[in-house]
Amino acid sequence: MTDPKPSVLFVCVHNAGRSQMAAGWLRHLAGDAVEVRSAGSAPADQINPVAVEAMREVGIDITGQTPKILTPEASEASSVVITMGCGDVCPYFPGQRHEDWKLDDPAGQGIDAVRPIRDEIRDRVRALLDDLTAAER
C-alpha cells in the first residue's frame, strides 16, 4: 500500500485572504496530489473580495470557498500546517511539519497591494509543493 497523499492546512485569522489564496494556489498547482484545507481562528463572514479578484487575474477561482473555523480535528488530520499570523491559537500536534509564513494581511488593502501578496504566496506554495513531491520520490 502506498503512503496516503500529503495534506496541507493553511491557517490565518479570518480565513478570508492569505490562507484562501494559498489553498487556491495549491489546488491549482498540485491537482489531486495533495489534500488541501484552510481555516481561521476567527473566520470572517466571507472571502475578501480583493483576494478573489487577485486570484481571478491569474485564472484561479476561489469564489466557491467559505471561511471555516479552525478545529483541532482539521489540524490533527493534516501532515503540514502553514500558519499566517494566527499566533498562539494554532494547535500543534507532534509529528506534523509546521511553518509560519510572514505575509502582509490583504484585509482592507486595494488590488495593487494584494497582487504582491498573491505572488509571494504563489512562490511559497510552489516551493512547498516541490518539497512535498520530492519527499515522495
Side-chain angles (χ1 to χ4, degrees):
M1 186 174 144
T2 59
D3 289 334
K5 64 183 170 182
S7 57
V8 177
L9 171 64
F10 294 104
V11 183
C12 67
V13 176
H14 300 298
N15 190 219
R18 293 167 289 188
S19 56
Q20 292 286 356
M21 288 192 287
W25 275 118
L26 188 54
R27 282 186 200 100
H28 177 74
L29 295 169
D32 291 335
V34 177
E35 188 176 344
V36 181
R37 300 180 179 97
S38 70
S41 53
D45 294 332
Q46 64 179 23
I47 294 183
N48 179 338
V50 182
V52 171
E53 180 183 348
M55 294 300 284
R56 185 178 296 127
E57 288 180 350
V58 294
I60 300 172
D61 182 7
I62 60 171
T63 56
Q65 303 300 314
T66 55
K68 293 176 262 328
I69 186 74
L70 174 64
T71 65
E73 294 78 20
S75 183
E76 189 173 20
S78 302
S79 47
V80 180
V81 177
I82 307 291
T83 55
M84 303 169 186
C86 71
D88 296 334
V89 301
C90 295
Y92 175 82
F93 293 93
Q96 284 179 325
R97 173 177 167 182
H98 273 254
E99 291 183 24
D100 185 48
W101 292 357
K102 305 282 188 231
L103 296 162
D104 292 334
D105 189 346
Q109 304 285 335
I111 189 69
D112 290 336
V114 174
R115 284 184 186 120
I117 299 168
R118 173 201 65 203
D119 294 346
E120 183 176 352
I121 291 170
R122 175 200 60 215
D123 295 344
R124 288 174 182 248
V125 167
R126 279 186 177 147
L128 173 67
L129 183 58
D130 287 347
D131 197 41
L132 290 174
T133 54
E136 291 180 357
R137 285 184 221 134

